[in-house]
Amino acid sequence: MMHFLGDIDVKTEEKIRNYILKIQNEEGGWPLFFNGESNLSATVKAYFALKLSGVDENCKNMLKAKEIIIKKGGAERSNVFTRILLAMFGEISWKTIPTMPIEIMILPQWFPFNLQKIYLGIIITLMFCYSISINQYRKLLSLIVICLLYTSDA
């Protein structure tokens, strides 16, 4: 996130880079949990973080990571969270992110599909899926504020 915001703390970045390299597994990927098998999305995010931090793409760790990413189907097969991250940095097109009508944000509580019944992590992901253009993003933010302020159907 430091790179996205343009506020890079070099010491923190170095610690993060060293930690990411330290937890890379034998096959070259990164697991979702300790001693787990390589996860495609975790590996894509780790690879991208290392690339942003200045690690050479031709170093042994990066080549192993790239090999496992390709073996598991490539970055395009990663989860929506990972693709949103890559789109935020302009690495992939926002068109690769699933979209839904922004009006879903204001469906009433009695409706079978209601954002107030969904886990917050999913809501955050859906917010990105709802809106790609700047104008829609502004509309989305105002709808989020409305949804957060007015929790009843009254």
Side-chain angles (χ1 to χ4, degrees), residues 98-116:
T99 59
M100 292 184 224
I102 196 167
E103 292 77 17
I104 290 175
M105 294 292 296
I106 57 172
L107 290 173
Q109 285 184 351
W110 55 264
F111 198 77
F113 177 81
N114 181 301
L115 291 184
Q116 293 178 1

Side-chain angles (χ1 to χ4, degrees), residues 22 26 68 72 78 90 95 100-101 115 124-125 127 139:
K22 179 181 169 186
E26 290 290 321
I68 195 74
K72 289 191 172 276
S78 59
K95 292 178 181 177
M100 292 184 224
L115 291 184
I124 292 168
T125 304
M127 288 189 310
K139 196 188 306 183

Side-chain angles (χ1 to χ4, degrees), residues 15-41:
K15 288 178 185 179
I16 293 169
R17 178 178 53 242
N18 291 339
Y19 177 74
I20 292 172
L21 289 169
K22 179 181 169 186
I23 63 169
Q24 185 177 20
N25 64 26
E26 290 290 321
E27 67 178 339
W30 284 266
L32 288 177
F33 52 89
F34 184 71
N35 283 338
E37 68 177 54
S38 295
N39 175 273
L40 175 61
S41 296

Side-chain angles (χ1 to χ4, degrees), residues 51-112:
K51 187 176 170 186
L52 284 175
S53 72
V55 176
D56 183 10
E57 292 178 31
N58 295 315
C59 89
K60 186 177 98 178
N61 297 74
M62 296 293 272
L63 291 172
K64 283 178 76 174
K66 187 175 183 179
E67 185 179 311
I68 195 74
I69 290 169
I70 292 168
K71 180 181 172 185
K72 289 191 172 276
E76 62 272 6
R77 302 230 20 205
S78 59
N79 65 26
V80 173
F81 294 102
T82 304
R83 287 184 282 148
I84 288 171
L85 171 76
L86 295 173
M88 286 172 60
F89 281 90
E91 295 295 318
I92 62 172
S93 169
W94 280 103
K95 292 178 181 177
T96 65
I97 311 299
T99 59
M100 292 184 224
I102 196 167
E103 292 77 17
I104 290 175
M105 294 292 296
I106 57 172
L107 290 173
Q109 285 184 351
W110 55 264
F111 198 77

